[in-house]
Amino acid sequence: MNGLRLSRRAALLSGLGVSAGLVPLLHGGIGRAAGPTKPTRLIIMAVPNGDTNDYLPQGGETGWTAQAMDLSPLKPLEPFRDKILVMAGIGVKNAADTGQATKGTGISGHAILPFLLTGARGKPGPAIPDGWNLSSGHASVDQYVATNLPGAAGLPFPSLVLRTLRASGYGDQPLSYAGPCLDGRTHNAPSMRDDPLALFDDLFGKGLSSSDLQRIRAQKKSILDFTGGQLASIFPQVGTDNKRRIQEHLDGIAALEKQLSAVVDGCSLPPRLAAGKDYVSPLDNANLPAVLRSQMDMVVAAMACDLTRVSTIMCSSSNNNTITYRFLADKDPMFNGVWSESETGGSGNKLFNHHTIAHNQGKLKRLKNALDQWYFEQYAYLLKRLSETMDPDGTPMLDSTLVLYCNLQSTGGGHQTDDLFWVLGGNCNGYLKSGRFLRWASGKQGQSAPTNGILAAIVNAMGCPHVDAFADPAYGGQLSTIVG
């Protein structure tokens, strides 16, 4: 009886087009009245050319503040201090060991993407920067979570793998990997989406409006009301045992309607960028701010509508040697020009691209801090959007979401990856202990923690089947310093 009731309810929901996120309500005591449930979600934003020393906040573990400097990069995150975990002293040990075993030198810098989120030594693969021919040796944490997250099977988009602007050539490797390289020649990775107009149409359709969403909700609610009405009408005609079963079923319908209303109420369409503009070309593209904001808005909306629960945003490649920032002229007018040979230490004139700024951050410190501050402003915007968007139980989505900001290098010019600066926003309902700054995430002065400990904690915080270690147990288990 219970199995039949479950299959019929699932079939009804499928016919109604109700999101797969509501299906977990049907499992484990479908007849019981219950409050709305909420999923866990994961968003990862990756930015190259970091500068750990200038990012480090001042003060203690709690109550920290951004460094007192002109255009202090971390300043935009101060309002979210209680909602984030700021960590330094993170090392991509799996990359270093791959390089040592291959050429006797560690892999770092712009070749780091196949290792950053995968936690395993690399496998033979296509050419990547700095003379390596390698790819991932394991699924990246986002794809691992997308595959193993309870309740996420059947979502329209298992994950959203996004990139701001269309990078090409040097440094253009994936951030997300489905697993090890299969043929030694191509990355085993999902395709990256970089066109925000195409993404909007794929996610929300070209003609769907907010009024359409309300109409859909009303239609679904009326069908649920009809089903409940039919059951209630036969209630006086059955015996005690069947009355109990019918009442359980009615309670289940009431709980389902409550959750349906909550999900649709929180599911609203983001703005669509105007057509006819260049949103993908990487060279000196003034639309970069609009593209990144649009992508973040769409990710939040897609998660609120339960179209997906996992997303990555690569900004934009492992070096950003074509990404310029003329739109930051309000922070420093030098962004509007080009550099002479004396300013860059190189030959000829060059645009203000991210890569060259990073390699000359000693001379161009103000520009480097300005663009780093801008990237942290974008991350702060994402935290704000998640704070303002409510889950079905009325709590902010940020409470049940993990938002990882990861730098690819501890210095842009030096290419080091043994003292990275990462930020974890949200805590997945208290799994992680946020509101702190950890100068050494390992808990040991001067000793970088392998990324694996953070990746394992992310998997466990998301509610996936518990892992003692992520990818390679040789690098240790879940990092105890960051869990609640």
Side-chain angles (χ1 to χ4, degrees), residues 173-187:
Q173 283 73 54
L175 173 66
S176 297
Y177 294 83
C181 184
L182 299 176
D183 59 8
R185 298 184 302 275
T186 54
H187 297 295

Side-chain angles (χ1 to χ4, degrees), residues 309-343:
R309 297 181 187 177
V310 177
S311 181
T312 58
I313 305 175
M314 182 68 220
C315 306
S316 295
S317 70
S318 71
N319 53 58
N320 282 359
N321 61 354
T322 62
I323 309 299
T324 55
Y325 300 88
R326 295 178 189 268
F327 54 84
L328 291 180
D330 60 332
K331 293 182 183 288
D332 194 304
M334 283 186 65
F335 279 111
N336 272 326
V338 294
W339 302 318
S340 67
E341 180 177 342
S342 62
E343 289 170 324

Side-chain angles (χ1 to χ4, degrees), residues 141 451-461 467-470 476-479:
V141 69
T451 55
N452 303 67
I454 298 172
L455 303 181
I458 289 173
V459 169
N460 293 333
V467 296
D468 293 327
F470 183 78
Q478 174 177 273
L479 198 58

